[in-house]
Amino acid sequence: MSDLYCVFGNPIAHSRSPAIHAAFAAATGEDMHYEARQAPIEGFAAAVAEFVAGGGMGANVTVPFKEEACRLSDRLSGRAARAGAVNTLVFGAGEIFGDNTDGAGLLRDITANLGFPLAGRRILLLGAGGAARGVIAPLLAGEPAALHIANRSADKALRLAELFSDIAPVAAGSFAELAGKSFDLVINATSASLSGESLPLPGGLYAPGALAYDMMYGKGETPFLQLARRQGAAHCADGLGMLVEQAAEAFFVWRGRRPQTAPLLAELRRQISP
Ligand code: ATR
């Protein structure tokens, strides 16, 4: 029988993870089966227990269970502890190990796929929820010149900046306070695109050659990227590459093998292009 993996979420029907991991397994010759499992909102722990009892060896975790998966883990990787969230579980030896590959996936997409090194760059991170928190330590590890967090609720941005101030100084504030500042990389980690909303960002944010990166993706350009293009961002990228790279990193955690991502990313890009 193939080794069993899954992704937990709610909703989960439209997840691309089963197709991504099936492609990785086929490309590497790993004998594994990966399926989507919808856990009840109040029943995540029970769903995990049932999956483990049925022989499950590992799982991805997506919205809205990443923080609960962190609490459920017996042991955490350093990056999951920092993120306060888990997107990759490993079941074995009677314990649940929790890891988080989101930040590594973002970094790999930006630096390797898009060829945009972070060292010495000024980075603006928009949002102060779970998605933003998960990528701060990996971004700081890239040794940017500065990291600034801006959020609709400025107090949440300030609290988040404080949480990571032992690694490096992090500035924080409201969207309005961004007026007059400019950045080389602007990352959207808010969920505003989900509801088709744009962010109230002042003009002049994008330095020459800057990259606008939306952690969301969809058919067509997201509202954030449409605004970035109008505001003069030299380069725009959505989160499809991050999705594939966080999956590749999870695959590596489970199987010790790193699948190639470029062919799959090109295929997914073709599928979602309008
Ligand atoms: P996630 O896990 O996706 O980060 P979350 O923890 O609920 O989800 O955080 C959502 C983030 O998107 C928050 O930063 C939120 O801003 P607030 O902290 O002010 O609520 C941000 N967000 C969601 N919708 C938004 C909108 N329409 N405009 C601006 N920010 C928005």
Side-chain angles (χ1 to χ4, degrees):
M1 206 176 88
S2 302
D3 294 343
L4 185 60
Y5 295 84
C6 78
V7 55
F8 289 108
N10 188 333
I12 200 65
H14 297 293
S15 170
R16 293 182 184 272
S17 292
I20 291 173
H21 282 283
F24 287 163
T28 56
E30 294 288 306
D31 184 12
M32 55 196 284
H33 171 77
Y34 184 112
E35 61 191 38
R37 290 202 169 197
Q38 178 156 316
I41 296 293
E42 300 297 334
F44 175 67
V48 170
E50 186 187 327
F51 183 66
V52 174
M57 295 181 67
N60 283 133
V61 181
T62 187
V63 180
F65 299 122
K66 289 185 187 183
E67 279 86 5
E68 194 175 346
C70 190
R71 294 192 293 275
L72 191 68
S73 299
D74 301 307
R75 199 161 56 86
L76 292 172
S77 67
R79 57 192 183 179
R82 268 286 182 190
V86 157
N87 80 333
T88 303
L89 293 167
V90 184
F91 309 120
E95 70 159 20
I96 298 177
F97 174 69
D99 198 355
N100 191 316
T101 66
D102 285 331
L106 173 73
L107 234 71
R108 202 171 169 85
D109 192 36
I110 291 176
T111 59
N113 297 346
L114 300 171
F116 197 90
L118 298 187
R121 306 288 178 105
R122 294 159 297 169
I123 303 177
L124 170 61
L125 180 63
L126 302 168
R133 179 172 168 174
V135 301
I136 294 173
L139 287 174
L140 290 173
E143 303 197 325
L147 177 63
H148 187 115
I149 305 172
N151 194 46
R152 179 173 58 184
S153 326
D155 57 321
K156 277 171 70 180
L158 289 163
R159 279 205 299 278
L160 206 51
E162 178 57 34
L163 208 56
F164 290 87
S165 59
D166 61 315
I167 304 180
V170 180
S174 66
F175 293 141
E177 285 167 319
L178 293 171
K181 297 188 168 63
S182 70
F183 299 90
D184 306 301
L185 170 62
V186 180
I187 300 170
N188 178 29
T190 74
S191 49
S193 291
L194 279 181
S195 44
E197 287 174 67
S198 194
L199 299 172
L201 300 174
L205 273 188
Y206 294 94
L211 168 65
Y213 191 101
D214 199 339
M215 283 167 56
M216 301 278 166
Y217 68 90
K219 273 200 195 304
E221 205 162 46
T222 65
F224 167 73
L225 292 178
Q226 288 171 18
L227 177 64
R229 205 176 286 284
R230 284 202 302 278
Q231 292 187 330
H235 309 283
C236 290
D238 69 12
L240 194 66
M242 177 180 175
L243 174 78
V244 172
E245 293 298 342
Q246 64 76 30
E249 182 76 11
F251 192 91
F252 178 73
V253 169
W254 293 325
R255 312 298 294 193
R257 301 187 61 182
R258 203 171 278 287
Q260 284 206 339
T261 52
L264 179 62
L265 185 51
E267 169 61 19
L268 290 175
R269 180 68 64 202
R270 200 185 54 73
Q271 287 175 15
I272 73 161
S273 60

